Amino acid sequence: MFGDMMGMMGKLKETQEKVEATKKRLNTVLLDEKSQDDLLQVTITANRELKEIKIDDSLLEDKEQLEDYLILTINKAIANATKVNETELAAVAKEGMPNIPGMDSLFK
């Protein structure tokens, strides 16, 4: 029994290390999001760190329009990055979890 517990603790530690490595790797995963008309583009990491914003010159003429574009496009980028982030981390966590009845439903 004690050996099983030690094995499980080792597996959990290994999983924690894999999760941390995945978080670091997600810093290098870049996602681009554009406005519907391609006048604004943002680049964000899968860890939701904004890396770049490209703005078409025509948007610089109307401050309110630019603000709306930024809000919509950045929010879409954050939502997409969150999906990628959660999917990747859940896959690593699930891989390292012991087989406990009912736990599968947490990772769907």
Side-chain angles (χ1 to χ4, degrees):
M1 181 174 147
F2 188 69
D4 289 344
M5 185 69 122
M6 291 302 288
M8 190 173 11
M9 294 300 287
K11 184 140 176 111
L12 288 173
K13 182 173 172 35
E14 181 182 317
T15 299
Q16 184 178 10
E17 289 169 357
K18 286 182 180 180
V19 166
E20 291 305 315
T22 300
K23 285 180 182 179
K24 279 186 179 178
R25 183 180 59 77
L26 291 175
N27 279 330
T28 65
V29 175
L30 298 178
L31 305 165
D32 291 323
E33 187 65 52
K34 295 179 180 182
S35 61
Q36 288 183 346
D37 54 10
D38 292 340
L39 295 179
L40 179 76
Q41 177 181 326
V42 298
T43 302
I44 191 170
T45 70
N47 280 330
R48 297 171 297 271
E49 182 180 333
L50 194 56
K51 289 293 191 178
E52 184 176 30
I53 298 176
K54 294 180 182 176
I55 302 170
D56 187 272
D57 289 342
S58 65
L59 287 176
L60 299 176
E61 298 167 10
D62 185 344
K63 181 180 181 236
E64 279 187 33
Q65 182 183 19
L66 175 56
E67 289 169 346
D68 290 342
Y69 269 70
L70 285 167
I71 290 168
L72 290 171
T73 307
I74 291 172
N75 281 337
K76 280 184 5 185
I78 291 170
N80 287 338
T82 298
K83 266 191 249 178
V84 170
N85 184 287
E86 289 174 353
T87 300
E88 292 286 323
L89 291 176
V92 171
K94 182 178 180 182
E95 173 186 306
M97 292 299 289
N99 190 12
I100 300 171
M103 289 296 282
D104 277 351
S105 63
L106 295 176
F107 296 103
K108 289 184 179 176

